[in-house]
Amino acid sequence: MKRKFVLWLCAAAMVWGSEGAVYASDFGDVGEVVFTDDFDSTDLRDARAEFTDGSSFLSDTADSGEDLQDPQEPAQDLEDGRIVEHGLVYQKINEYSLGLVGYEGEPVDCVIPSEVQGMTVVRIGEGAFWSCNTLRSVQMPDTIRIIGRNTFRNCRNLEQIRLSNNLEGIPRDAFALCTGLLEIRIPGSVKGISIEAFALCASLKKVELGEGQRTIRDTSFSYCKSLKEIVIPSSVQEIKDTAFVGSGLEKVTFRNRSCVLQGNYIFPLKTVIYG
């Protein structure tokens, strides 16, 4: 009996330890990255794929004084293995793939390339543009499959962003406090929208959800006061408590009658539900 109890404790420790662990390797094969859409897993709770982002910000070269916006200037390799091109900073994942981890200067209209030095840009790291208040628009290539937590958090002047059509999930706080964001189209490749993903986006008037999303987490669109109407696709199976709390929603149309609403404060009291 005593032996069984010790084995149980060991198994429990392994499970508890895995929840706080970083998922997969920084330099793993991107082809093996798989989004987890199991409703009972912590991966879906965070609406993210299995990956780690590495360092988020560039600090040792920010004052180099070089004009990296010059399109004629070739990409340069930094001593730590990073690559800088047109003011964007990348880090190698493997010999074929790169992750965007930060920026230099004051980007305004950011067009992220699909390829740098013959390597494919497949993800944007955690906090890569956090509090970049010069940022006004972002064009994301379809090669991007993963964005990290807090990627565009507090980019208060960000008005427009084009998401990759192969993006696997919107992680926690990815666009929180983007108070200038006007609209967002979330492609069907996204399987989950995580906690506070678009919280406090006060100017957000239009949200287009593509068929493919399965869950909308709690507080994901909380306090989006300009959001008046939304259509929930038939693929959405679950919406968590407080998902739209404090928003301006007046009309919600469901395409899936069997969608589970978990909680009492998902929508504002004035919201009229159709479908």
Side-chain angles (χ1 to χ4, degrees):
M1 181 69 182
K2 183 176 181 181
R3 183 181 178 185
K4 289 183 178 179
F5 180 72
V6 171
L7 289 172
W8 179 86
L9 283 178
C10 291
M14 290 175 67
V15 172
W16 293 333
S18 66
E19 288 194 5
V22 186
Y23 299 109
S25 167
D26 267 346
F27 301 99
D29 184 352
V30 173
E32 297 177 357
V33 176
V34 178
F35 180 78
T36 305
D37 60 357
D38 176 4
F39 286 130
D40 295 325
S41 77
T42 56
D43 297 293
L44 182 62
R45 181 183 65 197
D46 292 331
R48 59 182 177 178
E50 299 182 27
F51 77 106
T52 59
D53 296 300
S55 179
S56 301
F57 298 100
L58 181 74
S59 58
D60 53 346
T61 58
D63 297 334
S64 63
E66 297 178 356
D67 181 11
L68 296 173
Q69 300 297 330
D70 184 357
Q72 302 301 318
E73 183 177 357
Q76 57 174 312
D77 290 332
L78 304 179
E79 291 182 0
D80 61 359
R82 298 186 184 186
I83 297 171
V84 179
E85 184 174 77
H86 301 159
L88 299 178
V89 184
Y90 306 89
Q91 190 168 37
K92 293 180 182 179
I93 300 171
N94 54 41
E95 59 180 316
Y96 307 107
S97 308
L98 291 173
L100 173 58
V101 296
Y103 62 91
E104 290 188 349
E106 298 180 343
V108 178
D109 297 310
C110 181
V111 179
I112 302 171
S114 59
E115 186 177 289
V116 173
Q117 290 190 358
M119 292 173 283
T120 305
V121 181
V122 297
R123 74 184 188 212
I124 304 176
E126 183 174 337
F129 290 92
W130 190 339
S131 295
C132 180
N133 287 324
T134 60
L135 194 63
R136 186 174 59 194
S137 68
V138 175
Q139 294 290 321
M140 193 182 297
D142 288 339
T143 55
I144 298 290
R145 293 174 57 188
I146 299 164
I147 61 175
R149 292 186 180 190
N150 302 300
T151 307
F152 296 96
R153 179 188 176 100
N154 201 38
C155 292
R156 295 181 178 271
N157 293 309
L158 179 63
E159 296 180 358
Q160 298 178 338
I161 183 163
R162 188 265 186 193
L163 298 178
S164 164
N165 285 317
N166 292 303
L167 192 64
E168 298 178 3
I170 308 291
R172 184 167 186 166
D173 293 302
F175 297 93
L177 288 165
C178 288
T179 53
L181 189 63
L182 299 173
E183 61 181 62
I184 188 75
R185 177 191 171 273
I186 300 175
S189 59
V190 169
K191 297 300 184 292
I193 302 172
S194 192
I195 298 171
E196 299 176 355
F198 294 93
L200 294 164
C201 290
S203 301
L204 188 61
K205 294 181 179 180
K206 182 178 180 181
V207 174
E208 182 180 340
L209 300 174
E211 287 286 349
Q213 280 99 41
R214 294 185 59 188
T215 185
I216 300 175
R217 288 287 300 174
D218 34 324
T219 66
S220 52
F221 290 93
S222 58
Y223 298 97
C224 294
K225 294 186 178 296
S226 299
L227 185 62
K228 304 297 183 183
E229 181 178 348
I230 193 169
V231 176
I232 307 297
S234 59
S235 58
V236 174
Q237 299 180 16
E238 184 180 43
I239 301 179
K240 296 288 191 177
D241 196 16
T242 68
F244 295 90
V245 69
S247 71
L249 274 180
E250 298 174 357
K251 178 182 178 181
V252 177
T253 303
F254 281 86
R255 302 298 189 199
N256 178 10
R257 291 188 176 187
S258 62
C259 179
V260 177
L261 303 181
Q262 295 203 355
N264 298 317
Y265 303 100
I266 296 175
F267 305 110
L269 291 176
K270 63 182 178 180
T271 306
V272 178
I273 296 177
Y274 295 85

